[in-house]
């Protein structure tokens, strides 16, 4: 069973540009969550998509957006990049059950974004 | 915003030592607590999912306990080996597939 894949693995952009990151979940999983990790911070939740709909959203500005396709692949877009957006972006896939008992999230390897 | 705290932030131990670290979370409305191991340049890997007060889970030399009434979980590593060097994350899951992560404990095992 293939794991979660993310592309690209590394990206260098300059301030003001925009970027799109991609995540392909484990086959059969309908939920994709996105996280940002910066030095000294835990994984900060960006948003979760389930069956092509954004179901949960973290506390990030509107420059961060996403979408999910019918095959459950998800993209995350960051517009007007700032230096502080330099981070590791992880996606995680799961069945996405909202009613229990619990979900297991499986993580991709991440995309390392550097903003110059 | 839900607060999940891990301590210590980092730890250096000698090979063969046993060690433990803590994850603290809100004690009300508990749903599930997850532990992950995150090695450098790899994806976080799930270790345990804990759902019941008093749960104890074990995988090889690693074990975890859960106290939902007081809001903490311990992760223990017995006889640490260099390959145990990693960051250990805990995550508090709430209904609706939302996870709140701690900042992690970075473990370095010195040969």
């Amino acid at each position: 069973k293939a794991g979660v894949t993310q592309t690209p693995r590394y990206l260098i952009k300059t301030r003001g540009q925009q970027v799109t990151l991609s995540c392909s979940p484990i086959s059969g999983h309908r939920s994709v969550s996105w996280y940002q990790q910066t030095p000294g911070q835990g994984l900060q939740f960006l948003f979760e998509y389930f069956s092509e709909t954004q179901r949960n959203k973290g506390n990030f500005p509107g420059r961060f957006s996403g979408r999910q396709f019918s095959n459950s692949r998800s993209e995350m877009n960051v517009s007007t990049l700032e230096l502080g957006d330099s981070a590791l972006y992880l996606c995680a896939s799961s069945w996405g059950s909202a009613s229990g008992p619990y979900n297991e999230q499986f993580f991709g390897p991440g995309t390392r974004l550097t903003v110059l | 915003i839900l607060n999940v705290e891990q301590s210590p932030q980092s730890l250096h131990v000698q090979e063969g030592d046993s060690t433990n670290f803590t994850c603290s979370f809100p004690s009300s409305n508990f749903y599930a607590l997850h532990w992950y191991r995150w090695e450098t340049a790899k994806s976080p890997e799930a270790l345990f999912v804990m759902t019941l007060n008093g749960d104890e889970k074990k995988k090889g030399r690693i074990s975890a306990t859960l106290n939902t009434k007081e809001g903490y979980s311990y992760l223990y590593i017995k006889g640490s080996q260099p390959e145990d060097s990693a960051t250990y994350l805990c995550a508090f899951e709430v209904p609706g597939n939302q996870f709140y992560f701690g900042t992690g404990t970075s473990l370095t095992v010195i040969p």
Side-chain angles (χ1 to χ4, degrees):
Chain A
K1 197 173 189 181
V4 180
T5 58
Q6 291 186 246
T7 56
R9 293 293 310 278
Y10 302 91
L11 208 45
I12 299 175
K13 293 284 188 178
T14 56
R15 279 181 299 174
Q17 287 187 309
Q18 73 159 17
V19 68
T20 300
L21 313 181
S22 180
C23 174
S24 293
I26 290 170
S27 178
H29 283 185
R30 296 165 66 189
S31 168
V32 173
S33 297
W34 287 90
Y35 296 89
Q36 180 197 64
Q37 201 229 10
T38 51
Q41 298 285 322
L43 296 181
Q44 303 293 310
F45 173 71
L46 283 152
F47 30 67
E48 183 226 6
Y49 283 84
F50 180 81
S51 294
E52 302 180 63
T53 301
Q54 187 182 87
R55 186 165 62 172
N56 294 303
K57 188 178 188 306
N59 190 27
F60 276 80
R63 299 185 298 106
F64 292 82
S65 63
R67 60 178 175 167
Q68 188 179 34
F69 302 93
S70 58
N71 63 358
S72 294
R73 188 177 71 86
S74 176
E75 288 183 346
M76 188 190 94
N77 185 274
V78 188
S79 62
T80 319
L81 284 166
E82 300 176 0
L83 295 178
D85 296 334
S86 294
L88 179 68
Y89 291 88
L90 288 168
C91 76
S93 84
S94 68
W95 294 109
S97 169
S99 56
Y102 60 83
N103 285 286
E104 282 193 84
Q105 290 198 333
F106 296 83
F107 284 87
T111 294
R112 173 74 63 183
L113 172 65
T114 302
V115 182
L116 302 176
Chain B
I1 294 182
L2 198 146
N3 200 30
V4 177
E5 294 185 352
Q6 290 187 248
S7 62
Q9 188 174 356
S10 67
L11 202 49
H12 290 71
V13 302
Q14 293 289 331
E15 182 176 352
D17 287 351
S18 294
T19 186
N20 66 86
F21 14 96
T22 307
C23 173
S24 301
F25 50 84
S27 57
S28 59
N29 301 316
F30 180 82
Y31 189 68
L33 193 283
H34 301 253
W35 281 100
Y36 294 85
R37 175 169 59 200
W38 192 2
E39 295 179 68
T40 303
K42 294 187 177 180
S43 310
E45 171 197 359
L47 285 173
F48 305 114
V49 181
M50 310 185 78
T51 57
L52 297 174
N53 184 44
D55 251 357
E56 286 191 38
K57 297 280 178 84
K58 188 174 180 182
K59 186 183 289 188
R61 294 178 293 97
I62 303 177
S63 61
T65 61
L66 179 69
N67 184 324
T68 61
K69 296 187 187 308
E70 296 183 42
Y72 64 84
S73 176
Y74 292 138
L75 190 79
Y76 300 90
I77 302 178
K78 185 178 177 182
S80 303
Q81 299 297 308
E83 58 265 30
D84 296 328
S85 296
T87 295
Y88 292 83
L89 295 172
C90 69
F92 186 75
E93 182 186 358
V94 300
N97 197 32
Q98 294 188 72
F99 287 66
Y100 294 86
F101 281 83
T103 53
T105 293
S106 174
L107 174 67
T108 302
V109 182
I110 303 161

